[in-house]
Amino acid sequence: MAKKCALITGVTGQDGSYLAELLLSKGYRVVGMVRRASTENFERIDHLRDDIELRQGDLLDQLSLISLLQDVQPDEVYNLAAQSFVPTSWQQPVLTGEFTAMGVTRILEAIRLVNKNIRMYQASSSEMYGKVRETPQNELTPLYPRSPYGVAKVYGHYITINYRESYDMFAVSGILFNHESPRRGLEFVTRKVTDGVARIKLGLQKELRMGNLDAQRDWGFAGDYVKAMWLMLQQEVADDYVIGTGVMHSVRDLCRIAFEHVGLDYEKYVVTDPAFMRPAEVDLLLADPTKAKKQLGWETEVSFEQMTRMMVDADMARVQAKMSR
């Protein structure tokens, strides 16, 4: 029997790298789509380079997506590529819309034209809930995005539903709440904290400047969340699912656990700086993952505390390695 083939856009990102590992462990042929760029960052998938195929394609270029699908003939497409850093979406709202909203339409249209039997996963986001209408949030909670990124994700979410219902395509969205790991980008708050802790502990930094310490998020481990993506594409019926832990933590909790892990008191090092406050804050995101647990049989395995310590350990090792060069 031929191997199942999966195409991952955004394969060089945090989720793309964990998903590629998962699919390889399940015997898939894994193809990653990468943009042709002057600087290429394959750090997260370096250990997989011999096991996956990398092909060029671009969410801004419809024809490149069509030819990529014709060439690769995947059974499944996981669309993880996006301009995904919320603060950047305020500086580059149009570009964010092109990648994070219109890019989804281009992929769906390419699938419709090449082979409607390809199953597609769309990475939706808890940022779509924004100014929340109810807590916790489930698949039926009204959306009220509070950033250009959130607005673009809402478009991507609904265009996926539209293609599913209009063309009878197997297209699903995972509404993923915040999920982190040692592979998270340094610009995200969790990595900013764990990297800061490592640098302070090793004497390279004196303080950590942060925004709103009381903002609360439902944080989970990225390695757990990619399992949910795969499970969604194995169902008999295409549907959308909220993926999260159902437990909320504040940025303050994150700081406390991370600093405690290296024997420090966060209150002595963390400074609140208005420069890091968002123009419109999203204060209270909490998942209700009941449907995913019941229908997909999905469960988280790594706790918030375990994940935070894992990230601190990884950043300590990375910073120490740099110092010893």
Side-chain angles (χ1 to χ4, degrees):
M1 194 172 126
K3 275 187 174 186
K4 269 177 111 173
C5 175
L7 173 68
I8 304 172
T9 76
V11 72
T12 59
Q14 167 189 259
D15 292 8
S17 64
Y18 281 109
L19 179 61
E21 285 175 353
L22 176 72
L23 295 174
L24 286 170
S25 76
K26 294 183 180 297
Y28 276 68
R29 171 190 170 212
V30 177
V31 181
M33 184 183 95
V34 292
R35 296 178 72 209
R36 193 189 178 294
S38 53
T39 55
E40 293 175 330
N41 182 7
F42 296 139
E43 186 186 341
R44 295 184 185 94
I45 55 166
D46 268 347
H47 62 299
L48 303 174
R49 290 293 290 275
D50 293 337
D51 302 311
I52 64 175
E53 301 168 41
L54 296 180
R55 302 288 185 95
Q56 285 188 6
D58 197 321
L59 287 181
L60 303 186
D61 180 3
Q62 181 76 67
L63 281 176
S64 78
L65 298 175
I66 291 170
S67 19
L68 182 61
L69 289 182
Q70 286 172 333
D71 193 24
V72 172
Q73 293 293 320
D75 300 286
E76 299 171 357
V77 170
Y78 295 85
N79 182 39
L80 310 185
Q83 190 301 100
S84 60
F85 187 47
V86 175
T88 298
S89 76
W90 293 102
Q91 272 96 51
Q92 297 183 301
V94 176
L95 185 70
T96 299
E98 282 291 342
F99 275 115
T100 310
M102 293 308 297
V104 187
T105 316
R106 293 186 190 105
I107 285 193
L108 286 161
E109 187 63 5
I111 291 172
R112 184 181 75 83
L113 293 169
V114 174
N115 177 3
K116 274 175 37 178
N117 294 321
I118 295 170
R119 295 187 166 205
M120 178 187 147
Y121 169 85
Q122 163 60 14
S124 287
S125 165
S126 60
E127 288 284 334
M128 301 190 308
Y129 295 119
K131 193 173 181 179
V132 297
R133 291 325 211 190
E134 61 186 20
T135 300
Q137 294 90 45
N138 64 28
E139 292 79 6
L140 301 176
T141 301
L143 307 177
Y144 194 142
R146 298 268 280 169
S147 67
Y149 170 75
V151 172
K153 279 291 185 186
V154 169
Y155 177 95
H157 182 73
Y158 279 119
I159 200 69
T160 302
I161 292 171
N162 268 258
Y163 269 70
R164 175 168 78 220
E165 294 177 351
S166 304
Y167 300 117
D168 194 28
M169 287 165 56
F170 197 107
V172 305
S173 289
I175 306 172
L176 269 57
F177 280 64
N178 293 61
H179 46 288
E180 317 295 319
S181 75
R183 299 178 195 172
R184 193 53 142 154
L186 278 165
E187 69 274 20
F188 289 86
V189 67
T190 45
R191 270 302 297 290
K192 180 180 175 178
V193 169
T194 60
D195 176 66
V197 165
R199 294 174 66 79
I200 287 168
K201 180 66 178 176
L202 296 167
L204 299 175
Q205 196 171 307
K206 288 196 165 60
E207 63 181 22
L208 180 60
R209 302 188 82 79
M210 298 292 293
N212 180 10
L213 293 181
D214 296 316
Q216 300 193 70
R217 292 288 183 276
D218 180 334
W219 272 301
F221 173 56
D224 287 339
Y225 285 43
V226 297
K227 292 173 195 163
M229 299 176 187
W230 177 76
L231 284 166
M232 283 179 219
L233 290 194
Q234 312 315 310
Q235 303 306 301
E236 283 186 24
V237 178
D239 205 351
D240 306 322
Y241 297 88
V242 162
I243 303 298
T245 67
V247 181
M248 208 153 48
H249 295 278
S250 66
V251 176
R252 195 182 301 279
D253 292 335
L254 172 70
C255 292
R256 179 180 51 76
I257 293 163
F259 276 94
E260 271 178 8
H261 187 50
V262 295
L264 299 176
D265 176 0
Y266 84 95
E267 291 183 329
K268 293 179 180 172
Y269 301 96
V270 175
V271 179
T272 304
D273 185 340
F276 294 109
M277 299 290 188
R278 284 188 187 185
E281 182 57 272
V282 175
D283 292 308
L284 205 71
L285 290 174
L286 178 65
D288 174 4
T290 307
K291 181 176 165 186
K293 289 184 173 188
K294 276 187 183 166
Q295 294 185 15
L296 303 177
W298 177 77
E299 292 288 345
T300 55
E301 292 173 28
V302 178
S303 72
F304 174 72
E305 291 78 11
Q306 287 171 313
M307 178 194 75
T308 304
R309 292 181 192 121
M310 178 199 305
M311 291 174 69
V312 171
D313 288 343
D315 276 324
M316 285 288 290
R318 184 181 54 83
V319 175
Q320 278 173 323
K322 269 189 179 174
M323 288 171 72
S324 63
R325 275 179 205 153

